[in-house]
Amino acid sequence: MSDPTPPPEHARPRLGVFKFASCDGCQLTLLDCEDELLGIAEELEIAHFLEASGDIGSGPFDLSLVEGSVSTPEHLERVRRIREASRHLVTIGACATAGGIQALRNHAGTTEYLEKVYARPDYIATLASSTPISAHVPVDFELRGCPIDRGQLLEVVTAFLIGRKPGIPDHSVCFSCKQRDNVCVLVAHGTPCLGPVTHAGCGALCPTYGRGCYGCFGPAATTNLPALIPVLRHDGMCDDDIGRFLHTFNVTAFAALEEEEGP
């Protein structure tokens, strides 16, 4: 990715925050920035953010944060409009970067799900699959997580608005565990953990409290799934359990990893 270009000096940068198929959790992370949000609001114009304001501002936007996956025909048209109106577009969260937990339907039958969930499935307009934003338009940066980390979000917003690359690490959760002096729950306690193949960003939250990593941030830049799977089997997981373990928040990303690296 090339260095972002800063907005013109004569105007406050304009921020747009948009939602597609998602739970709104990543947008709420921006609101949870609390004191930092006041500083952000002083430095830029929050032109479109329906989670925070009823004002519906139009483009152009210097930076657009996009949450959620593309799941309906209407989404296809809308995401292209947002891209055209945005100098920089950053996707936030597992739904926007990997299709989200709703992408489980990509590996099953959408029609069957519709018939089981809705009394009138003929009223539902949906695509056969749930896909990340990058499958449809160019994306300048992907911020992982379910939900995203507030510190990383502030780093990305700041970086793009002053014209530099975001300083987001791409190592695994295991690295974060070492930084926190955590005992490895996988090795020491036999607790199933996806930390060795998961992108850092949560601060090793689950292992710090004695639980295995669930892969909320998707695959790390470098992984070795064939080495991890025998360890999970040794700790009592059957292949079906391992499949369910991998196929949650970032099902499409981990499924692609399985196909690439094999069992």
Side-chain angles (χ1 to χ4, degrees):
M1 182 191 72
S2 60
D3 289 337
T5 56
E9 294 184 2
H10 63 272
R12 277 200 307 165
R14 304 185 81 239
L15 174 69
V17 184
F18 301 92
K19 166 190 166 61
F20 287 80
S22 63
C23 71
D24 288 31
C26 293
Q27 292 182 83
L28 288 174
T29 299
L30 179 56
L31 295 178
D32 286 343
C33 289
E34 298 174 344
D35 293 340
E36 296 90 345
L37 184 60
L38 297 177
I40 291 174
E42 291 177 356
E43 297 297 328
L44 54 80
E45 176 188 353
I46 302 178
H48 183 102
F49 187 9
L50 297 184
E51 191 77 27
S53 171
D55 294 336
I56 303 176
S58 59
F61 304 100
D62 293 292
L63 174 63
S64 288
L65 303 177
V66 179
E67 175 193 83
S69 65
V70 173
S71 297
T72 71
E74 185 272 336
H75 287 167
L76 290 172
E77 298 179 9
R78 183 164 167 257
V79 73
R80 294 183 183 117
R81 293 197 303 269
I82 293 171
R83 175 68 268 189
E84 291 174 359
S86 306
R87 173 175 287 139
H88 300 300
L89 189 150
V90 173
T91 51
I92 57 173
C95 295
T97 62
I101 198 168
Q102 61 267 29
L104 286 167
R105 76 183 196 218
N106 299 2
H107 304 273
T110 303
T111 301
E112 181 181 356
Y113 283 141
L114 288 174
E115 291 176 349
K116 288 184 177 180
V117 174
Y118 298 99
R120 289 298 303 271
D122 51 308
Y123 286 3
I124 307 299
T126 186
L127 299 173
S129 60
S130 172
T131 49
I133 301 298
S134 61
H136 307 280
V137 297
V139 168
D140 296 298
F141 193 81
E142 294 183 324
L143 186 61
R144 314 277 196 87
C146 188
I148 54 174
D149 175 76
R150 62 189 294 272
Q152 288 193 348
L153 175 61
L154 290 169
E155 162 63 18
V156 167
V157 171
T158 301
F160 272 88
L161 293 179
I162 65 175
R164 65 170 174 81
K165 294 181 180 179
I168 302 298
D170 61 2
H171 51 251
S172 72
V173 172
C174 288
F175 188 90
S176 299
C177 270
K178 296 298 183 183
Q179 288 181 312
R180 299 190 66 161
D181 293 326
N182 289 342
V183 174
C184 179
V185 297
L186 182 65
V187 174
H189 305 300
T191 301
C193 181
L194 293 180
V197 297
T198 297
H199 196 284
C202 64
L205 180 62
C206 289
T208 298
Y209 290 93
R211 299 180 298 177
C213 169
Y214 292 94
C216 304
F217 279 64
T222 302
T223 61
N224 189 350
L225 198 59
L228 176 62
I229 288 178
V231 178
L232 297 177
R233 289 174 179 151
H234 179 268
D235 289 335
M237 298 188 78
C238 66
D239 288 346
D240 286 345
D241 291 336
I242 294 172
R244 285 191 290 269
F245 198 30
L246 291 167
H247 297 171
T248 53
F249 309 97
N250 291 273
V251 54
T252 55
F254 277 115
L257 184 63
E258 289 177 277
E259 184 176 344
E260 177 184 344
E261 298 189 1

